[in-house]
Every structure is written in C-alpha cells, then in structure tokens.
C-alpha cells in the first residue's frame, strides 16, 4: 500500500481481462503471432487506461483501444498482468522476468541455477541496484553463460514496476508513521533511475523496451510461432512435444510464415496434423 497505492482489486481484474481479451482477439481475427511481440492495440477500461497513461477511455467496460503512437505498450511483454506475476508485489528482478520471456514466449527456458549460488534480492534501501548486483554475480563463469540469455529481456522489462506502471525511477519505501496504536504507510520516495538497456545474447544492443521488441520482431518471430505451435499441440493432445514430433511443428511454422503466422490458421494446422488426429 505504501509503495503502490494506486493498485486495487478492480485494477487487478482489468489486468487479467486485458490479456485474455487480447489473446481471444488474435484468434477471432486470425491476426499474426507478431502481435504477441508488439501490437498497436490492446483492451482497456478507464482504470487500466489511466494506469497506462492512455487518454479518452471512459467507463469500466473493457474494450479494444488503439494505442497512441508514443505509448510504450503493445504486445504481451508490456501488459501489466505479465509484470505483476513476474514481480513479488514490492520489487522487481530481471531474473524471473527474463526467464518468463525465455520460457513462455521463446520456448528456451534457462537451466536451474547451481545449488551453491545464492539468491539475488533487490536492495530496498536503494543503495545498490539489481543491475549492480547482477554485474557482480555474472563474474562467475558458471553463472555468466545463462545470464547472457536471461538478463537482456529482464533488463528491457525494468521499465515496468511490479504492478505494470511505466517508470523512469524506482520507488523506495517512505517508512511508517505511528499515531498511538495507528500505523500508516508514509508516501513512497523516488529512488535511482531505471536503466532498461542491454545487449542480447547475439550481441545486439538495445536502449529499452521499444528497441528490444523490434529486435525480437526482426530475429525471433519464427521462434515465437514455433513455441506457440508446440504449446498448442501440448494443450490439445495432453502430451509433450518429442523429438520425433519436430517435423510437424516445423511444417506448421513453414505454412504460417508467408502470412506472418496467423494464430487461428495455426490452430487449424494443429487440428489437421497427424499428431492431433
């Protein structure tokens, strides 16, 4: 309540509805899977639109909204539902967010960390940033290889706080005020600037979420479609995709590539496949 007083259940419900309606729209309109990476629309009501800084959205009904050209929103990675489930409610860390992108969007989950590697905890006092702690952490050759893949998407998502608000600075706790038996949270304080820049594992630099989304669109759209096809097969058959099934997945990716991997067509390809039948 002290750090993020703007959050309430109504906003939380709108966050979940945005993602559900967005994915349903991709299927209903047979839109490209590229919209998972970046899109010019989303679904908002007034509370969520105010949270996102999108003007002229009234009422509590969720509806499709064209995003302003200068909005940092667009695609799954900028939706508050994703930011909230990859944070702990108080602070953010590039590691769970980066691994979420690798696992759920790209289908390349990082291996578990070695048992003797200590956890990284954001410094709530603001004396060191999580990036500074990660820089020291990556000095270990055992850790460096995985962090080259995990950290870049996590850094790009640092532009969003634990409830999905766009930020240029971190928030710090202002402590508590006591009035006899009453204890209330003091207003939050402004902390260090957010640095959302990084370098991908392929050596491509980016300055923030917009740059990172462009890099994904340029180099990873086929992989996003490949993972989506694999997950649709898992969902529809109840079985994990095995090595022998990869030809089916690749055939679905090849069929969808000329049109940008339209999502409903991909579902049709899954249903028509021998694996499903």
């Amino acid at each position: 309540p002290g750090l993020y007083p703007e959050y309430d259940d109504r906003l939380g419900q709108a966050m979940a509805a945005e993602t559900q309606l967005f994915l349903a729209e991709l299927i209903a309109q047979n839109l490209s899977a590229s919209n998972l990476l970046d899109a010019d629309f989303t679904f908002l009501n007034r509370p969520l639109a105010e949270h996102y800084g999108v003007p002229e959205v009234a009422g509590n009904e969720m509806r499709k909204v064209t995003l302003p050209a200068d909005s940092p929103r667009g695609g799954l990675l900028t939706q508050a539902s994703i930011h909230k489930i990859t944070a702990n409610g108080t602070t953010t860390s590039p590691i769970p967010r980066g691994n979420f992108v690798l696992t759920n969007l790209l289908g390349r989950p990082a291996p578990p960390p070695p048992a003797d590697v200590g956890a990284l905890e954001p410094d709530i006092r603001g004396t060191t940033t999580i990036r500074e702690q990660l820089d020291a952490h990556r000095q270990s050759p055992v850790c460096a290889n995985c962090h080259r893949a995990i950290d870049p998407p996590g850094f790009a998502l640092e532009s969003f706080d634990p409830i999905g608000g766009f930020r240029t600075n971190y928030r710090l706790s202002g402590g508590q005020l006591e009035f006899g038996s009453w204890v209330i949270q003091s207003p939050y304080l402004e902390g260090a600037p957010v640095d959302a820049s990084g370098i991908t594992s392929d050596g491509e630099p980016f300055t923030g979420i917009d740059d990172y989304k462009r890099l994904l669109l340029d180099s990873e759209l086929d992989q996003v479609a490949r993972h989506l096809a694999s997950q649709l097969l898992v969902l529809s058959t109840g079985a994990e995709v095995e090595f022998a099934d990869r030809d089916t997945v690749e055939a679905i990716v090849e069929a969808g590539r000329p049109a940008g991997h339209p999502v409903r067509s991909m579902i049709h390809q899954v249903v028509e496949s021998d694996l499903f039948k």
Side-chain angles (χ1 to χ4, degrees):
L3 280 172
Y4 299 98
E6 61 267 56
Y7 181 80
D8 58 23
D9 287 342
R10 184 177 56 170
L11 183 60
Q13 291 167 7
M15 291 176 183
E18 176 192 15
T19 301
Q20 293 162 356
L21 291 167
F22 179 80
L23 294 172
E25 182 76 355
L26 299 190
I27 298 170
Q29 301 301 324
N30 203 21
L31 299 178
S32 167
S34 66
N35 286 279
L36 295 171
L37 299 175
D38 197 13
D40 62 1
F41 72 93
T42 192
F43 286 79
L44 304 174
N45 61 4
R46 181 184 58 79
L48 190 56
E50 289 179 350
H51 189 51
Y52 284 2
V54 176
E56 300 180 3
V57 177
N60 288 321
E61 180 185 353
M62 299 291 292
R63 85 295 309 261
K64 187 176 180 180
V65 175
T66 299
L67 292 166
D70 60 350
S71 174
R73 308 291 168 172
L76 278 183
L77 297 186
T78 65
Q79 293 183 8
S81 62
I82 305 302
H83 307 142
K84 185 172 181 297
I85 65 169
T86 55
N88 67 6
T90 303
T91 56
T92 62
S93 170
I95 298 173
R97 284 183 167 178
N99 203 40
F100 179 91
V101 175
L102 295 181
T103 302
N104 296 290
L105 199 61
L106 299 176
R108 299 187 190 122
D116 59 344
V117 174
L120 284 174
E121 295 292 340
D123 182 357
I124 60 173
R125 299 165 300 169
T127 55
T128 61
T129 66
I130 190 69
R131 182 182 285 264
E132 290 169 340
Q133 295 178 57
L134 277 171
D135 286 341
H137 195 61
R138 285 197 302 267
Q139 298 305 312
S140 165
V142 176
C143 301
N145 192 47
C146 289
H147 277 282
R148 274 195 292 269
I150 297 171
D151 294 350
F155 287 151
L157 289 175
E158 279 294 276
S159 291
F160 301 97
D161 64 30
I163 60 168
F166 187 80
R167 64 186 177 187
T168 56
N169 288 76
Y170 294 100
R171 292 184 185 182
L172 301 176
S173 172
Q176 297 179 334
L177 295 175
E178 297 184 11
F179 301 93
S181 60
W182 291 92
V183 178
I184 63 171
Q185 298 290 331
S186 298
Y188 62 82
L189 306 174
E190 188 173 272
V194 171
D195 181 0
S197 65
I199 301 175
T200 69
S201 56
D202 294 330
E204 295 287 342
F206 59 88
T207 59
I209 186 63
D210 287 338
D211 273 355
Y212 184 71
K213 288 193 294 184
R214 280 193 289 269
L215 291 174
L216 289 179
L217 281 169
D218 289 344
S219 62
E220 297 285 18
L221 179 55
D222 273 5
Q223 179 59 28
V224 170
R226 186 174 292 111
H227 183 55
L228 179 57
S230 299
Q231 292 301 96
L232 287 169
L233 283 163
V234 171
L235 176 68
S236 60
T237 65
E240 293 294 329
V241 174
E242 304 291 345
F243 182 81
D245 305 331
R246 292 184 182 180
D247 286 348
T248 298
V249 174
E250 289 304 315
I252 295 171
V253 174
E254 291 288 337
R257 184 179 292 120
H261 306 292
V263 176
R264 189 172 70 226
S265 296
M266 185 183 295
I267 294 172
H268 290 175
Q269 291 281 332
V270 166
V271 173
E272 292 167 1
S273 70
D274 288 340
L275 284 179
F276 181 84
K277 293 176 182 177

